[in-house]
Amino acid sequence: MLQLSKFPVKTLKSAPKVSDNKSTSYLLQAWFIRQEMAWAYNYLPYWLRVLKKIENIVREEMNAIWASEVLMCSLSNKESWLKTKRWDTVDVLFKLEWSGNKEYWLNPTHEEVVTPLMQEFIQSYKDLDNMSVYQFQTKFRNEARAKSWLLRWREFLMKDLYSFHRNQDDLDRYFEIVKKAYINVFNRLWIWKDTLYTFASGWAFSKYSYEFQTKLSIWEDNIYVCSSCWQAHNDEIIGEKFECVNCKKDKYEIIKTSEVGNIFKLWTKFSDAFWLKYDDANWVSNGVVMWCYGIWISRLMWVIAEYFMDDKWLVWPENIAPASHYIIVIWDNLEKAKILAKQIEQKWWEIIIDDREKIGFWQKAWDSDLIGIPNRIVISDKTMESNSYELKSRISSEIKIIKF
Ligand SMILES: [Zn+2]
């Protein structure tokens, strides 16, 4: 149970004006985040509670497909990046210089770390039975294009999963498993019905990559959706004329979205660079086939904030809200109220009790709405006359009187 008298939050009377989006204003106003500098934010307790719940949903779905969680270094090893020839070609790096002219950078992605790491384990085809590892890691990208409000952050949290396979058939099977896990994640976060599985550019690795793009009123990408079969395409892969990759027809509509996840085929690009090979059943040496699968965790949170907010406040789904219930006490016997709040907590899910002194009922009720807590409970002199409390739903505004 969270007691607000012991919690470092201080909501603002009005929403600060920021660039071009309302959810960031609300998040600043409701004391979820504080900006440190351009494109870098400090996470405050409410934000962290939501973030950890999203992270946990992703973790459960990754564990369910037998992926193993690791945490790799943020600092890079220059030799590894020289091996893949990306030290001088990737342009979004934060480079650091240390004594003795040693150079490092902060990893923007982890193929150069995970490939030699897994090389210590993988030798035989028996080591490649849907083998995958994943992590939640802060990534750094020195984005020149740091203009868009949530896509181009310089510091952000990402879930990246890397899978290792004997051949393409193995990989294709595993791909479907991961895709289903991603759909589970977006379903559990209530955005799957407005999220498009999208063909995008494969960049240096292959013809296509795959993205999960969520429809938003404020957007970063234009997605071309085929009018015949509803296949979505990122505008990166649209040439002079639209042709659906699936049914080859040419009619489309444009939908505005933000990217929340992606899947890249890496093939043997990295395993070749590091000589990551395995022996098959006939003792023939083969290159390991690799894929990587990302979910932009901190951006996903912004997308969810933007997707669910109404015209006045934040609105969080109950399973990821900072708490499911917000209790306001208008009763002299605060200590007794806390005991009753514990009882409610056993019955419900997760409680914030607003026990701040010198703050009136309306301010507390307003805070509860602003923060986006789905249910509000009032314990007052009046409700205690009948040994009960008042429960109000944020969505339906319905009020119920419930006995202790
Ligand atoms: Zn089509």
Side-chain angles (χ1 to χ4, degrees), residues 226 228-231 244 246-248:
C226 172
S228 302
C229 73
W230 306 110
Q231 177 59 56
C244 175
N246 190 32
C247 71
K248 309 295 175 202

Side-chain angles (χ1 to χ4, degrees), residues 85-98:
K85 301 192 171 55
R86 294 211 292 180
W87 179 260
D88 294 311
T89 55
V90 177
D91 60 356
V92 293
L93 302 167
F94 279 110
K95 289 195 177 174
L96 311 168
E97 278 186 39
W98 284 356

Side-chain angles (χ1 to χ4, degrees), residues 15-80:
K17 284 267 173 291
V18 286
S19 58
D20 54 356
N21 74 101
K22 271 192 180 164
S23 59
T24 301
S25 296
Y26 293 158
L27 289 164
L28 287 162
Q29 187 185 7
W31 212 258
F32 279 66
I33 50 168
R34 277 288 166 276
Q35 190 169 30
E36 177 66 24
M37 56 187 143
W39 311 108
Y41 288 90
N42 294 308
Y43 298 170
L44 299 175
Y46 286 145
W47 179 260
L48 201 58
R49 288 170 80 88
V50 179
L51 189 82
K52 291 287 171 197
K53 286 175 193 176
I54 293 174
E55 196 180 288
N56 244 343
I57 287 172
V58 176
R59 178 177 285 114
E60 283 170 14
E61 294 299 334
M62 296 303 107
N63 290 347
I65 57 171
W66 306 109
S68 302
E69 187 169 357
V70 295
L71 181 57
M72 292 178 271
C73 294
S74 284
L75 280 174
S76 69
N77 172 354
K78 182 177 177 180
E79 283 67 39
S80 293

